């Protein structure tokens, strides 16, 4: 419900109107929208003052503490966001001239819920007359490095992007905003050299093409803020700033208007030089400003009057980002101004020669992983809610909290790991609660499906998703008999290896209809003895084969009598060549380290090392690594943790593996699944100890003899690959004072090197966001854990030193090595979202995950028949919408900005033919969003079909639940 409400207010129609299943038509241009902007003057310099408050959804204080304004000892003078919104709304109501932009919907939604009808009516009016503008519309201002685009889409609803604080910016973000139908994007925080060059050359505004496959459909007009997002120096009039007020009483000895106006004019003149049109935007605000809004507004009112008196050649107005955009577009059109086309991204972010913000790509690795699990659960919950909705049951309420907290988790001080520890704890608390709530309804629905499958209405059980199976804890799997339910959220049939911690060495596994399923029992590599709960000494692995798209399959696991039958436990082997002829690994028999890898029948030299960087020494007065920054000790290289391991190999029917122990705090299993085309690296690292009282930052490095010619590729928020060249930036002169951290990039899902001569690619896929690089040809490294000694002095004021059970935190994670990657991916349709939109309406997003550059065959357009995909429904009609699903594609008219070279954007609509046949075409990298009118059909029984294996299966987890029947 709430999501509908905010959708409406962004479109400037009646706020708070009852939710409706009709799609809204585009902006009501008669009242709000661009016509409500203050007039600009074509003959003058127009100065757009934009009042705003940057309200982090958690950072030094928790979300609740920021909202209510308690825990003040931490931050002198800062009160709550509740006070800010109350205060702003009153001040706007005082004077229709004034403007304000509201960014973080998480806070606004909370405020709105507690308001009286009178206040709500007043706020609706403020929105309608353009005084209060919602920008971005996201639940939070999302980070761009560590987030996955699926989560970005989920938390956004349209018009203008306002990404003023995230630490670097990505192509995928630009693309998502364009696809949402946004008119423009404003940002700050880009490399200091890039910023300087752009200001000097007047390239501060450009059309950013996020994706070359999508071409102009991914274009978004982008404007860089001038200095930062604060008000100009000496012009912050909030209670926390205490700047000199403007005194316009001419009879007073304190009268200062002329002096203040002249002071402000200097800033205007400097800024105007760097922008192409006769418009400039000046942010009037900052972190948690407008607690005493009237004080701020009264002074801005006087400043505007002062300019009218002393600088009539300048037209100074209250404005918003949208109004500014429109003015820029008009001015460009009138004066024949064109904007450069930009295709590169803005990663990594550096603020000075030795200060690269590349540490946060890896900070708080367990939170980054937990966020992925939350997204996985959310997507599955939405699918299941959609199924049940068609049967007229509502589970919507159980998912709403998870939607909200996932919006919060995307915030640039949440998934980034740049918040204080108590704030992390609070995020984890909220996410855990929301996941439990969502699981309740998932469980009910999984049962409904199971009852149908086994034709038994009397089935009752408890269900658990065993989120702690990474530390071998799962109470349910200790039972005599339990069932594993595997749900496939993908749009194609998949097979998946399921691993369950178990307590005995003797089991049997059966399918739904009684057939025996092969499985393997192996000893665990670690028992995580400090974690409470029953320790499992073994893991049971089986392959859940051929789970149909959006289907569930069930597996019955029974503990057998160990005195009667032979144990199934796998015995250690003396072999060092593991796997099969087509997929295998070779282990060095003296060191136990990896020597080579065979994939697709081709043997490659691949070794692996674990190493650590020592953070630089802050006591020497230099900037050290912190939650944001990665800065190894000057002139040092990564040090090898151990060049040999204690190791044991195991060979089984399903997989072979080696257990390696490097030392007390570093272990790894490398697994080769039979008949698969990848190698799994399952590492456990921690607790880390400081070395020489300096921070320690652990990496793993994969070393080949491939020649990647100083070039590697990292993904953009899980979407397209971006080319990176070592010691080089495409848009500015790169100086290499930090040869390690300056070459680090965010790796959200994969990092790839290619050898053009050998025609071989090697890709490492990861299970959470990490920082990574290729510092030497043939090598790829990823940072997997960090424990630091110092704060990096960018405001968090706390050392990144995560602790658990009285010691440093332990992290377990997986990397998947593919080689010949591109040609081994069989499927080119991805089901991105399926959720209930309204009664008998579904929201469906389909994605073509490949680029033309990925592969000749896979990078071709593909046709999807919606009938085949959604067998649970009869589809009555289909309409295509923008990515945010709140506007018909055909209604979305975006502002057009002229590009140098004169290219025009073209949109693509569902063709008449597509509509009739329910077949839709997806072009490379395209995401299309549809609203379907449906009628529920009988549930389909589980059926088998072709066995397809996708790396995406690894990226978007399947949902696996353990049920115990009673
Ligand atoms: C859904 O259920 C409610 C009450 O349970 C009923 O009033 C309504 O008519 C049903 N709607 C449909 C479309 O079946
Ligand atoms: C760090 O700097 C301090 C102060 O200069 C010095 O005493 C200490 O030995 C340094 N530590 C290392 C490991 O270099
Ligand atoms: C295991 O997973 C849980 C849930 O995501 C997480 O809280 C915990 O830190 C993880 N433990 C390790 C050792 O990775
Ligand atoms: Zn912020």
């Amino acid at each position: 419900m709430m999501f509908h409400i905010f959708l409406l207010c962004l479109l400037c129609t009646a706020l708070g109107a009852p939710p409706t299943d009709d799609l809204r038509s585009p902006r009501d241009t008669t009242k709000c929208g661009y016509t409500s902007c203050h007039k600009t003057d074509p003959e003058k310099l127009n100065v757009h003052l934009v009042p705003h408050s940057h309200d982090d959804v958690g950072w030094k204080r928790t979300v609740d503490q920021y909202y209510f304004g308690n825990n003040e000892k931490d931050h002198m003078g800062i009160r709550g966001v509740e006070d800010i919104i109350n205060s702003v709304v009153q001040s706007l109501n005082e004077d229709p001239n004034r403007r304000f932009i509201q960014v973080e919907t998480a806070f606004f939604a909370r405020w709105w819920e507690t308001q009286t009808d009178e206040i709500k009516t007043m706020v609706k009016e403020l929105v309608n007359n353009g005084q209060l503008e919602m920008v971005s519309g996201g639940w939070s201002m999302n980070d761009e490095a560590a987030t996955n685009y699926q989560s970005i889409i989920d938390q956004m609803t349209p018009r203008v992007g306002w990404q003023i604080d995230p630490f670097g910016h990505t192509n995928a973000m630009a693309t998502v905003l364009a696809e949402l139908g946004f008119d423009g994007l404003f940002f700050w925080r880009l490399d200091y050299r890039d910023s300087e060059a752009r200001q000097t050359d007047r390239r501060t505004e450009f059309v950013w093409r996020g994706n070359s496959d999508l071409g102009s459909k991914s274009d978004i007009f982008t404007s860089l803020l001038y200095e930062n997002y604060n008000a100009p120096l000496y012009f912050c009039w909030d209670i926390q700033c205490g700047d000199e007020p403007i005194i316009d009483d001419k009879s007073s000895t304190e009268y200062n208007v002329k002096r203040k106006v002249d002071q402000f004019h200097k800033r205007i003149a400097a800024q105007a030089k760097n922008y192409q049109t006769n418009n400039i935007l000046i942010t009037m605000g900052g972190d948690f400003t407008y607690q005493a809004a009237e004080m701020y507004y009264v002074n801005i009112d006087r400043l505007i009057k002062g300019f009218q008196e002393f600088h009539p050649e300048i037209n100074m107005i209250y404005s918003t980002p949208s109004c500014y955009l429109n003015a820029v577009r008009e001015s460009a059109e009138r004066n024949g101004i064109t904007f450069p086309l930009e295709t590169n991204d803005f990663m990594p972010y550096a603020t000075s020669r030795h200060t690269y913000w590349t540490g946060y790509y890896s900070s708080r690795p367990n939170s980054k992983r937990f966020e992925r699990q939350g997204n996985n659960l959310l997507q599955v919950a939405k699918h299941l809610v959609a199924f049940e909705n068609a049967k007229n049951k509502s589970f919507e309420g159980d998912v709403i909290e998870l939607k909200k907290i996932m919006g919060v988790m995307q915030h640039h001080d949440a998934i980034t790991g740049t918040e204080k520890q108590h704030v992390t704890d609070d995020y984890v608390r909220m996410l855990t609660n929301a996941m439990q709530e969502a699981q309740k309804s998932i469980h009910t629905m999984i049962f409904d499906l199971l009852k149908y499958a086994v034709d038994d209405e009397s089935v009752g059980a408890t269900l658990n998703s065993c989120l702690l199976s990474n530390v071998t804890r799962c109470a349910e799997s200790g039972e005599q008999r339990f069932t594993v339910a595997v749900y496939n959220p993908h749009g194609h049939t998949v097979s998946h290896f399921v691993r369950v911690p178990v307590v005995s060495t003797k089991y049997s596994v059966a399918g739904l209809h009684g057939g025996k399923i092969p499985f393997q029992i192996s000893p665990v590599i670690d028992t995580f003895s400090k974690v409470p709960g029953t320790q499992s000494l073994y893991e049971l692995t089986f392959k859940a084969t051929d789970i149909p798209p959006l289907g569930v399959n069930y597996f019955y696991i029974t503990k057998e009598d160990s005195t009667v039958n032979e144990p199934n436990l796998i015995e250690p082997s003396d072999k060092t060549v593991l796997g099969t002829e087509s997929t295998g690994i070779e282990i060095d028999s003296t060191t136990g380290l990896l020597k080579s890898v065979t994939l697709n029948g081709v043997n490659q030299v691949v070794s692996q090392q674990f190493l650590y960087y020592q953070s630089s020494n802050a006591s020497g007065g230099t900037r050290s690594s912190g939650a944001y920054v990665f800065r190894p000790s000057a002139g040092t290289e990564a040090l090898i943790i151990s060049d040999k391991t204690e190791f044991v190999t195991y060979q089984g029917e399903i997989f072979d593996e080696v257990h390696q122990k490097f030392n007390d705090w570093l272990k790894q299993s490398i697994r080769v699944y039979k008949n698969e085309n990848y190698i799994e690296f399952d590492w456990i690292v921690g607790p880390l100890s400081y070395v020489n009282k300096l921070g320690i930052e652990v990496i793993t490095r994969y070393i080949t003899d491939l020649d990647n010619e100083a070039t590697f590729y990292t993904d953009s928020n899980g979407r397209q690959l971006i080319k990176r060249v070592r010691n080089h930036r495409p848009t500015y002169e790169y100086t290499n004072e930090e040869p390690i951290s300056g070459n680090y990039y965010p790796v959200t899902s994969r990092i790839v090197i290619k050898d053009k001569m050998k025609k071989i690619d090697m890709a490492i896929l990861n299970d959470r966001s990490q920082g990574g690089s290729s510092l030497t040809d043939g090598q790829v490294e990823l940072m997997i854990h960090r424990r630091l000694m110092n704060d990096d002095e960018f405001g968090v004021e706390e050392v990144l030193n995560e602790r658990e059970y009285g010691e440093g935190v332990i992290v377990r994670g997986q990397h998947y090595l593919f080689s010949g990657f591109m040609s081994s991916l069989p499927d080119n349709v991805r089901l991105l979202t399926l959720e209930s939109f309204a009664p008998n309406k579904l929201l469906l997003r389909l994605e073509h995950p490949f680029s033309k550059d990925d592969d000749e065959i896979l990078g071709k357009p593909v046709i999807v028949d919606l009938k085949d995909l959604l067998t649970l429904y009869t589809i009555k009609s289909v309409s295509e919408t923008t990515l945010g699903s709140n506007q018909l594609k055909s209604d979305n008219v975006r502002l057009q900005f002229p590009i140098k070279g004169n290219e025009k954007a073209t949109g693509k609509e569902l063709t008449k033919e597509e509509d009739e046949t329910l077949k839709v075409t997806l072009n490379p990298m395209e995401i299309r969003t549809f609203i379907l009118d449906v009628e529920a059909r009988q549930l389909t029984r589980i059926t088998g079909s072709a066995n397809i294996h996708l790396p995406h299966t690894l990226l978007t987890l399947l949902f696996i639940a353990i049920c115990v029947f009673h």
Side-chain angles (χ1 to χ4, degrees):
M1 263 218 181
M2 179 167 312
F3 294 88
H4 284 278
I5 292 174
F6 292 108
L7 213 116
L8 295 177
C9 73
L10 283 161
L11 297 171
C12 302
T13 53
L15 183 71
T20 157
D21 47 47
D22 287 340
L23 286 169
R24 294 278 132 187
S25 52
R27 287 152 287 161
D28 172 3
T29 44
T30 56
K31 214 171 168 200
C32 70
Y34 297 119
T35 50
S36 65
C37 300
H38 288 302
K39 288 248 163 329
T40 53
D41 188 331
E43 305 303 321
K44 293 181 179 176
L45 175 64
N46 298 287
V47 176
H48 298 247
L49 301 181
V50 176
H52 80 111
S53 182
H54 178 69
D55 304 338
D56 290 306
V57 186
W59 182 34
K60 296 189 199 188
R61 299 194 288 162
T62 67
V63 183
D64 279 36
Q65 287 166 352
Y66 276 138
Y67 182 72
F68 293 112
N70 55 343
N71 188 11
E72 230 183 296
K73 62 181 185 323
D74 223 3
H75 216 220
M76 290 291 290
I78 288 202
R79 293 293 307 279
V81 176
E82 186 177 24
D83 304 322
I84 294 174
I85 305 177
N86 278 334
S87 162
V88 162
V89 162
Q90 294 307 331
S91 285
L92 291 179
N93 197 42
E94 290 287 310
D95 183 347
N97 245 340
R98 294 171 175 173
R99 296 290 183 271
F100 190 77
I101 58 171
Q102 175 63 40
V103 187
E104 295 83 4
T105 309
F107 285 131
F108 186 77
R110 189 164 192 166
W111 178 85
W112 178 257
E113 278 168 13
T114 58
Q115 300 309 305
T116 61
D117 286 347
E118 288 97 286
I119 299 280
K120 285 185 181 174
T121 309
M122 183 173 111
V123 172
K124 279 183 223 168
E125 188 47 38
L126 294 174
V127 170
N128 271 336
N129 68 17
Q131 280 189 266
L132 179 60
E133 181 177 310
M134 305 285 161
V135 305
S136 282
W139 203 246
S140 66
M141 184 185 298
N142 64 267
D143 165 58
E144 297 185 38
T147 46
N148 186 285
Y149 65 101
Q150 200 170 26
S151 306
I152 301 174
I153 296 169
D154 267 2
Q155 76 108 22
M156 278 289 182
T157 46
R159 205 79 247 176
V160 169
W162 186 253
Q163 293 288 106
I164 57 165
D165 201 24
F167 329 126
H169 305 277
T170 59
N171 284 52
M173 185 72 204
T175 307
V176 163
L177 294 177
E179 291 173 322
L180 284 166
F182 278 41
D183 284 330
L185 164 64
F186 293 80
F187 77 63
W188 178 55
R189 292 200 188 276
L190 68 164
D191 185 281
Y192 66 104
R193 291 155 292 203
D194 201 6
S195 175
E196 277 167 21
R198 284 173 192 279
Q199 297 281 352
T200 312
D201 312 344
R202 300 224 288 180
R203 286 183 289 116
T204 38
E205 292 181 326
F206 47 86
V207 173
W208 190 0
R209 178 162 299 174
N211 190 305
S212 59
D213 283 292
L214 297 177
S216 59
K217 272 187 279 181
S218 63
D219 286 357
I220 185 142
F221 177 81
T222 305
S223 180
L224 306 182
L225 298 188
Y226 175 64
E227 260 179 348
N228 53 43
Y229 59 77
N230 294 324
L233 195 60
Y234 312 122
F235 293 88
C236 173
W237 291 295
D238 200 46
I239 45 176
Q240 53 169 311
C241 316
D243 282 346
E244 181 185 6
I246 294 190
I247 300 156
D248 61 356
D249 179 350
K250 287 197 167 139
S251 65
S252 169
T253 52
E254 301 300 314
Y255 175 84
N256 65 3
V257 177
K258 172 99 174 52
R259 183 166 52 81
K260 292 303 285 180
V261 161
D262 287 345
Q263 197 175 31
F264 202 88
H265 186 259
K266 286 210 181 79
R267 155 68 187 257
I268 292 175
Q271 183 173 345
K273 286 206 303 278
N274 302 355
Y275 290 75
Q276 286 200 79
T277 75
N278 63 332
N279 293 274
I280 59 170
L281 182 151
I282 296 184
T283 45
M284 297 300 290
D287 289 357
F288 297 94
T289 48
Y290 289 82
Q291 296 157 40
E294 194 55 25
M295 186 170 154
Y296 223 130
Y297 280 113
V298 161
N299 280 287
I300 300 178
D301 292 344
R302 289 178 190 160
L303 186 69
I304 292 174
K305 277 210 204 85
F307 266 85
Q308 285 162 357
E309 185 178 346
F310 297 108
H311 283 286
E313 78 287 3
I314 284 174
N315 177 37
M316 181 176 279
I317 51 176
Y318 274 111
S319 190
T320 66
S322 308
C323 290
Y324 172 76
L325 266 192
N326 197 43
V328 166
R329 186 195 55 83
E330 279 175 2
S331 167
E333 208 169 77
R334 200 168 39 238
N335 301 309
I337 295 170
T338 59
F339 300 96
L341 185 71
E342 182 56 68
T343 56
N344 296 286
D345 74 353
F346 296 86
M347 291 286 174
Y349 171 54
T351 44
S352 68
R353 289 183 302 153
H354 294 290
T355 309
Y356 285 82
W357 297 42
T358 53
Y360 81 94
Y361 303 156
S362 305
S363 295
R364 299 191 188 277
N366 285 342
S367 307
K368 286 184 164 67
R369 170 69 178 156
F370 196 37
E371 183 276 339
R372 284 296 146 85
Q373 289 178 318
N375 181 44
N376 178 38
L377 193 75
L378 176 60
Q379 301 308 327
V380 170
K382 292 201 295 192
H383 289 187
L384 294 170
V385 166
F387 298 154
E388 294 291 321
N389 180 282
K391 298 191 325 194
N392 198 12
K393 288 189 193 171
S394 183
F395 289 97
E396 199 72 46
D398 297 345
V399 184
I400 212 103
E401 285 306 317
L402 186 54
K403 284 189 178 173
K404 288 186 195 172
I405 177 65
M406 284 306 295
V408 169
M409 288 306 292
Q410 306 314 308
H411 166 53
H412 58 268
D413 294 307
I415 191 168
T416 50
T418 56
E419 69 282 15
K420 282 189 191 283
Q421 185 62 45
H422 78 103
V423 178
T424 308
D425 297 343
D426 193 54
Y427 289 141
V428 170
R429 177 191 63 80
M430 290 191 286
L431 186 50
T432 306
N433 290 346
M435 282 168 84
Q436 270 160 7
E437 203 53 39
Q439 280 188 46
K440 277 193 217 148
S441 57
I442 291 185
H443 296 166
T444 313
M445 294 180 278
I446 294 258
F447 277 134
D448 278 2
L449 291 165
L450 179 60
K451 278 179 205 158
Y452 173 78
V454 298
D455 210 3
D456 179 1
E457 279 297 320
S458 65
V459 172
T462 54
L463 226 132
N464 184 343
S465 312
C466 288
L467 293 175
L468 292 180
S469 45
N470 61 336
V471 287
T472 74
R473 298 293 183 278
C474 177
E476 281 72 9
S477 68
E479 299 284 330
Q480 188 63 33
R481 186 177 147 89
F482 58 92
T483 302
V484 176
V486 182
Y487 173 73
N488 170 15
H490 300 275
H492 51 262
T493 300
V494 298
S495 297
H496 187 77
F497 291 98
V498 178
R499 298 173 73 80
V500 190
V502 290
V503 294
S504 162
T505 55
K506 297 204 46 52
Y507 284 91
S508 65
V509 180
L512 191 57
H513 302 295
K516 282 216 174 328
I517 307 276
F519 65 98
Q520 184 167 330
I521 294 184
S522 25
V524 296
I525 188 168
D526 197 329
T527 55
F528 297 90
S529 56
K530 297 206 169 157
V531 180
T534 319
Q535 293 181 14
S536 300
L537 297 180
Y538 315 103
E539 278 173 324
L540 184 154
T541 307
F542 64 92
K543 188 173 187 180
T545 43
D546 299 340
I547 313 160
L550 311 177
V552 189
N553 215 339
Y554 300 86
F555 301 88
Y556 300 114
I557 301 183
T558 311
K559 205 195 290 179
E560 299 291 338
D561 184 346
S562 57
T563 57
V564 180
N565 301 311
E566 286 290 304
N568 318 104
L569 184 67
I570 243 117
E571 292 293 334
S573 134
D574 53 9
K575 292 269 167 44
T576 49
V577 176
L578 305 176
T580 62
E581 284 197 352
S582 63
T583 311
I585 56 171
E586 189 186 350
I587 297 300
D588 185 294
S589 56
T590 46
T591 63
L593 295 169
L594 183 67
K595 259 176 88 176
S596 76
V597 161
T598 305
L599 283 169
N600 307 308
V602 179
N603 185 264
Q604 277 290 318
V605 176
V606 183
S607 61
Q608 183 207 17
Q609 290 170 342
F610 285 91
L611 312 93
Y612 70 91
Y613 291 105
Q614 272 202 352
S615 313
S616 60
N617 188 355
S619 331
T622 51
R623 173 97 57 193
S624 73
S625 282
Y628 306 90
V629 171
F630 167 36
R631 184 175 183 197
S633 278
T636 62
E637 307 251 311
L639 300 169
I640 294 179
I641 291 168
S642 174
D643 52 16
K644 59 176 193 303
T645 70
E646 283 171 31
F647 71 101
V648 190
T649 58
Y650 298 92
Q651 289 184 291
E653 201 181 329
I654 296 182
F655 64 88
D656 292 352
E657 69 179 332
V658 55
H659 285 188
Q660 301 167 316
K661 184 175 174 193
F662 292 79
N663 61 29
D664 287 343
W665 52 269
L666 180 59
K667 292 175 188 163
Q668 177 178 249
S669 327
I670 309 178
R671 293 190 193 99
V672 185
Y673 293 90
K674 306 291 166 72
N675 304 320
E676 299 300 328
N677 59 359
Y678 62 89
I679 311 294
E680 178 178 279
F681 295 81
D682 182 359
W683 38 264
I684 300 169
V685 54
L688 302 179
S689 310
Y690 297 121
V691 186
N692 297 331
K693 296 197 173 150
L694 293 177
I696 170 167
E697 309 186 48
V698 177
I699 60 159
T700 183
R701 207 175 257 174
Y702 299 89
I703 302 159
T704 69
D705 57 5
L706 298 179
D707 182 8
N708 55 310
E709 299 171 48
T711 303
F712 57 106
Y713 300 80
T714 59
D715 66 294
S716 193
N717 304 99
R719 220 167 160 186
Q720 80 262 34
L721 287 174
I722 308 280
K723 180 176 173 177
R724 313 295 187 185
V725 177
R726 197 182 310 132
N727 303 337
H728 174 79
R729 299 286 194 271
T731 57
Y732 58 94
E733 202 63 44
Y734 173 71
T735 47
N736 197 24
E737 289 90 352
E738 287 290 333
I740 298 164
S741 69
N743 280 303
Y744 258 62
Y745 289 87
V747 179
T748 314
S749 72
R750 60 203 193 276
I751 179 166
V752 180
I753 54 174
K754 305 181 183 201
D755 185 321
K756 287 195 196 121
M757 293 302 288
K758 290 192 178 147
K759 293 195 171 19
I760 290 181
D761 306 339
M762 181 183 77
I764 305 290
L765 278 66
N766 54 7
D767 65 344
R768 75 199 70 189
S769 296
Q770 288 157 336
S773 188
S774 170
L775 298 177
T776 307
D777 278 349
Q779 303 188 358
V780 159
E781 70 181 57
L782 288 161
M783 185 178 289
I784 57 179
H785 197 1
R786 51 203 315 253
R787 186 178 187 191
L788 306 177
M789 225 9 225
N790 297 102
D791 175 41
D792 52 13
E793 299 185 341
F794 283 106
V796 68
E797 291 166 353
E798 201 179 86
V799 177
L800 184 71
N801 174 16
E802 292 188 278
R803 294 168 63 81
E804 207 173 27
Y805 313 115
E807 57 188 19
V809 78
I810 301 176
V811 181
R812 181 179 195 168
Q814 286 88 41
H815 288 156
Y816 301 91
L817 185 149
F818 286 78
S819 94
F821 178 60
M822 296 314 172
S823 50
S824 63
L825 296 177
D827 206 291
N828 48 6
V829 178
R830 190 168 172 213
L831 188 145
L832 208 53
T833 312
L834 175 66
E835 65 176 283
S836 173
F837 189 72
N840 292 318
K841 279 184 200 284
L842 294 179
L843 165 63
L844 174 73
R845 280 193 198 101
L846 296 175
E847 179 196 13
H848 190 314
F850 298 109
S851 153
K852 286 191 217 78
D853 300 336
D854 285 342
D855 185 279
E856 253 174 57
I857 299 162
L858 291 171
K860 288 209 163 107
V862 58
I863 295 169
V864 189
D865 192 333
L866 300 182
K867 283 203 300 294
D868 294 348
L869 187 63
L870 298 169
T871 50
L872 287 178
Y873 307 95
T874 306
I875 302 170
K876 295 198 291 193
S877 72
V878 181
S879 37
E880 180 161 18
T881 68
T882 54
L883 187 63
S885 72
N886 58 342
Q887 220 179 2
L888 285 174
K889 191 87 183 260
S890 49
D891 286 346
N892 178 250
V893 187
R894 299 176 60 204
L895 294 185
Q896 298 294 317
F897 292 83
I899 304 176
K900 286 211 169 82
N902 220 5
E903 295 184 60
K904 273 256 149 64
T906 51
K908 192 179 173 303
E909 309 306 330
L910 193 70
T911 63
K912 186 124 188 72
E913 196 184 327
E914 283 185 325
D915 202 8
E916 279 159 12
T917 61
L918 297 178
K919 284 187 179 148
V920 301
T921 303
L922 293 171
N923 290 308
M925 280 279 141
E926 191 174 36
I927 296 178
R928 295 181 72 181
T929 306
F930 303 98
I931 303 294
L932 314 178
D933 275 300
V934 295
E935 226 167 55
R937 288 166 53 175
Q938 266 302 325
L939 289 174
T940 41
R941 291 227 178 216
I942 293 150
T943 52
S945 66
N947 172 7
I948 301 175
H949 231 296
L950 253 197
H952 287 299
T953 318
L954 306 169
L955 303 178
T956 314
L957 302 168
L958 304 204
F959 178 74
I960 299 171
I962 313 276
C963 342
V964 178
F965 291 89
H966 43 238

